[in-house]
Amino acid sequence: MTESKVRAIAVMTSGGDSPGMNAAVRAVVRMGLHRGLQVYAIHYGWQGAVEGGEYLKEMSWWSVGGILQRGGTMLGSARCQEFRTREGRRKAAANLFRLGVDGIVVIGGDGSLTGARILSEEWPELLREAAALGMIELSANEKPRLAVVGLPGSIDNDTYGTDMSIGADTALHRVVTAADQLASTASAHQRVFVMEVMGRHCGYLALAGGQAAGAHWVLIPEEELEPRWHQQMVASIERGRKAGRKHAIIMQAEGARHPDGLPLESTTVRDILTKQMGADTRVTVLGHVQRGGSPSAYDRVLSTRLGAAAVESLIEEGADVPPRMMGIVNNAVAATPLIEMVDKSQEVGKRIDAGDYQGALDLRGHSFQDQLRLLKLLTRSEPSVEATRGNLLIVTAGHDSPGMNPCLRVLARTALEQGFRVFGARYGFEGLLQEEIVPIGWMDVSGWASMGGSQLGAGRMLLQPHHAGEIAKILAAHDIRSLVIVGGMDAYEGLQVLHTFRDEEPALQIPMLAIPASINNNLPGTDFSIGADTALNNIVVDLDKIKDTASANKRAFVVEVMGYDCGYLALMAGLASGAEQIYLPEEGITLEKLVDDVRNLRKGFERGKLLSIIILSERASSTYDLDTIKRIMDEEGGDLFDVRSVDLGHTQLGGPPSPFDRILAARFASAAVQHLCQHEGDVFCRCMGLRGKQLRAVELSDAMAEIDWPYERPRQPWYMSLRELTRIL
Ligand code: ADP
């Protein structure tokens, strides 16, 4: 282990609060203590640093217990005018210096992080001034430095240097849940809803929320509206009505503008719709609801990873490197100099103010622009082209998984828009063998964006070699020229069977693609599969409820979660809920480990702990199953604590898909259709995957070689790199 470049660190949350900040604070505190640092918390942001005294508190391991699931920030946040003055910063520097603080982690927006950068730059002089004024003692040859790491706390997701900022995914959950709820009441009355979401200079929440909820029009600050935009909007909503849409949702970012650059009020949009089409139009301004509540699983994991990385960076680099922000880029932690991060983040707003909308969109990057294009395509009420490309068959196979429906919706519409004729097989391979093939039209998938399960029906039948000939006949009879299968390992194996027989069966000499959809997240060629995020959120919500039952009785819960032979869900649920122990199939369970764990449980409860969560992946061990572990621990707990077991079962699969899964599904689907078009005429068998930022199709046979058989999980799973973190925290 390298010697630490800092000795005492402070952590604060500042500016606008965002859900997930607590998880970041917890990770900073515990990682810092684990690495032997002294850790202080600064309450109420820069205000607390300036005031000092009781606002600065030394933190212990347990001072951050039970906060992971709480919204807002336990440290409080504030905006501080005094810190903008040199005098204010001098006071803050003196207060921190007195405690020996030489490193700081600031969780906040670009304002708060700029404050940190300035403090670090001025640190030596501020301290010299403070010493001259008698506020602190500083020897003449001392060369004090302050190491700074920022973490992006913003629900707007407007921060350069990170794919997601802390709080954005939770805010998206609020937006999408609200839109789903509005959709059901709007349908009953054929209403149009204008939903205003946060984002003064950033259309992320409106765009991603609109995409995930299946909105029918979006208005974002980065897009220049055409002079007659309102007529286009009205015409589009009217076309939708004629085609059978029962309601419409306009998703508007608060920073949307008229073509002349003036702010566009949501009430103005409502008046336009009311006057021009006589629609019963209502406005819902979502407001601070978006900031509130318990953080999503994604935000908890993100914050934990970034918090831990911030401490590592302080320890390894200290003040040797300039102040930097830790972000997540391509599913890996990445550092960006604060100066660059602030500059680039603010540049978008400047471009919008200057009327350079294309510049603003360019800065948002490709995937933002792709999403905007896709959303516009999806809001059509019919394809704009004739079918010229031949028949495409879509199958959902294996277990159904949340997010399959949004995937089908986007597959069908993007394919129709590319000139395919689209068909679906009912009930997976089983239905396909019985020739249950139905045409899918544009409006057939209306409303599927928010539905769980698969409207086509998925079937668990495993395809065998002797089925290949029959399927070939059916494909030939329906003149199927491309095949897309959405599903888990059963689907992948089925597709492989078909591909193996392509030489014997000319009807199988077509492009075939698999799209990963499984809550287990065990599929090859991809870091994420559709459904895993929903399942994880379902688990985490249930674990929160279990935690809420903590009472005077000391109690441990052993909670079994799904995953087959893959520990992804268990590991991530453990990370997101602060579980004490996690039992994974990748590691197995030994008697020795159980003895150790029981000993640790006893220690914890003796120290005053009231509740403990132990997560068991369903196939971690065939010997030590849920009941056995429960009984062993209960026996050993004696009078000190008792043990309950919970099998979360099928609730993990249910409910509407999470925003992350809906967006992932849409991205896979649209990339799959694009791939089919780009490789028209080729014969292949590939699977879609998201590795880092790259959305790509790889040869199925190559991808399957990544799998550890018979366990049906990746040989080198990326998530196991987080295992150490769960042990430390
Ligand atoms: P956010 O961090 O969410 O962007 P603000 O822009 O309101 O929120 O900044 C939060 C606090 O950070 C401010 O109240 C102030 O104390 C400090 N701060 C912001 N900008 C600066 C600056 N240029 N110099 C010093 N402190 C700043």
Side-chain angles (χ1 to χ4, degrees), residues 426-651:
R426 309 295 319 269
Y427 311 113
F429 291 127
E430 203 164 353
L432 177 56
L433 280 164
Q434 284 161 16
E435 247 182 296
E436 288 207 47
I437 292 175
V438 292
I440 301 181
W442 193 275
M443 293 306 284
D444 293 333
V445 293
S446 189
W448 290 18
S450 54
M451 288 180 189
S454 163
Q455 286 293 102
L456 274 182
R460 305 234 18 231
M461 196 192 98
L462 291 176
L463 209 62
Q464 304 298 330
H466 69 266
H467 293 128
E470 283 171 70
I471 287 191
K473 252 188 239 130
I474 293 164
L475 295 184
H478 291 263
D479 197 19
I480 300 298
R481 303 292 178 84
S482 321
L483 177 64
V484 177
I485 296 188
V486 186
M489 205 62 96
D490 298 349
Y492 278 54
E493 288 184 86
L495 205 59
Q496 240 187 348
V497 169
L498 295 181
H499 190 56
T500 314
F501 286 89
R502 69 191 178 283
D503 290 340
E504 286 111 274
E505 303 286 353
L508 297 178
Q509 288 166 16
I510 57 172
M512 299 182 188
L513 270 179
I515 293 182
S518 162
I519 64 158
N520 301 332
N521 205 28
N522 61 337
L523 296 170
T526 190
D527 291 345
F528 295 100
S529 58
I530 301 167
D533 183 67
T534 307
L536 186 58
N537 277 290
N538 287 341
I539 295 170
V540 164
V541 165
D542 281 345
L543 290 173
D544 286 352
K545 287 183 198 150
I546 291 173
K547 285 193 204 164
D548 282 343
T549 67
S551 61
N553 314 22
K554 295 183 174 181
R555 188 166 284 174
F557 284 91
V558 188
V559 183
E560 181 174 303
V561 303
M562 287 180 167
Y564 282 161
D565 287 301
C566 177
Y568 175 81
L569 283 179
L571 183 70
M572 297 310 243
L575 199 57
S577 66
E580 219 92 341
Q581 306 294 346
I582 307 168
Y583 295 127
L584 301 175
E586 286 83 352
E587 298 169 342
I589 306 176
T590 60
L591 189 56
E592 207 179 341
K593 182 167 168 51
L594 276 177
V595 170
D596 253 7
D597 293 347
V598 167
R599 217 171 269 145
N600 284 331
L601 268 183
R602 285 197 70 93
K603 261 191 229 153
F605 283 113
E606 272 160 8
R607 243 192 258 126
K609 229 178 135 50
L610 287 178
L611 181 111
S612 195
I613 300 272
I614 296 147
I615 299 197
L616 171 68
S617 188
E618 61 184 346
R619 290 196 192 161
S621 160
S622 52
T623 311
Y624 303 111
D625 61 3
L626 181 63
D627 188 49
T628 313
I629 296 177
K630 185 230 164 211
R631 281 189 292 123
I632 292 176
M633 291 189 165
D634 209 14
E635 178 71 25
E636 298 298 316
D639 292 338
L640 184 60
F641 63 94
D642 58 18
V643 182
R644 295 283 186 277
S645 59
V646 184
D647 179 357
L648 292 183
H650 277 72
T651 56

